[in-house]
Amino acid sequence: METLNAAELLAALGHESRLAIFRLLVEAGPEGMNASAIGEHLGLPGATLSFHLSHLARVGLIKGERESRFIHYSAAYETMDELIAFLTRNCCQGKACLPAATTCGTVQKRRRPTSNPQD
């Protein structure tokens, strides 16, 4: 991931409503949620919700799929994983130092191999 792309993703998450939407979709899992359920859960008016969903989809943090009259949204886990990997790459010179991230079991998946395979 390029620095400019990471900055764009972080800027999108830098708004309270967009961060809440993204976290809700991450928690919902791959099944995601439809827009009306997201709005109801977060108490966001339709126009505001639509604006934030559109922004998150434009930067690639969420995906929307039309199901008849509704749009079903889900987190783009591959983009989230790339962003986390970008932020933690070579963290603490490759040593485990992120206890909260360790509990989710994806730290090793995100880390790129170091030049010294014995570490």
Side-chain angles (χ1 to χ4, degrees):
M1 174 172 288
E2 306 237 347
T3 301
L4 187 59
N5 185 248
E8 184 177 39
L9 296 172
L10 292 169
L13 293 173
H15 188 280
E16 182 180 1
S17 294
R18 287 192 291 269
L19 182 58
I21 292 166
F22 184 71
R23 287 289 307 135
L24 182 63
L25 290 174
V26 167
E27 292 170 5
E31 303 81 34
M33 302 173 76
N34 67 43
S36 60
I38 296 168
E40 185 177 306
H41 188 80
L42 297 176
L44 293 172
T48 302
L49 177 65
S50 178
F51 172 79
H52 292 306
L53 288 169
S54 176
H55 188 98
L56 290 168
R58 183 182 55 76
V59 299
L61 285 166
I62 65 172
K63 300 173 186 174
E65 187 175 317
R66 183 166 294 283
E67 293 179 2
S68 73
R69 319 179 334 189
F70 303 100
I71 300 179
H72 201 79
Y73 290 94
S74 60
Y77 291 99
E78 61 283 350
T79 303
M80 180 181 75
D81 192 47
E82 287 178 34
L83 179 60
I84 293 169
F86 173 83
L87 293 171
T88 60
R89 190 168 299 127
N90 298 320
C91 179
C92 300
Q93 299 176 357
K95 296 178 181 80
C97 62
L98 303 169
T102 303
T103 61
C104 70
T106 62
V107 173
Q108 292 305 317
K109 178 180 154 194
R110 291 192 314 263
R111 291 199 187 276
R112 289 190 177 175
T114 60
S115 58
N116 184 356
Q118 295 175 354
D119 286 348

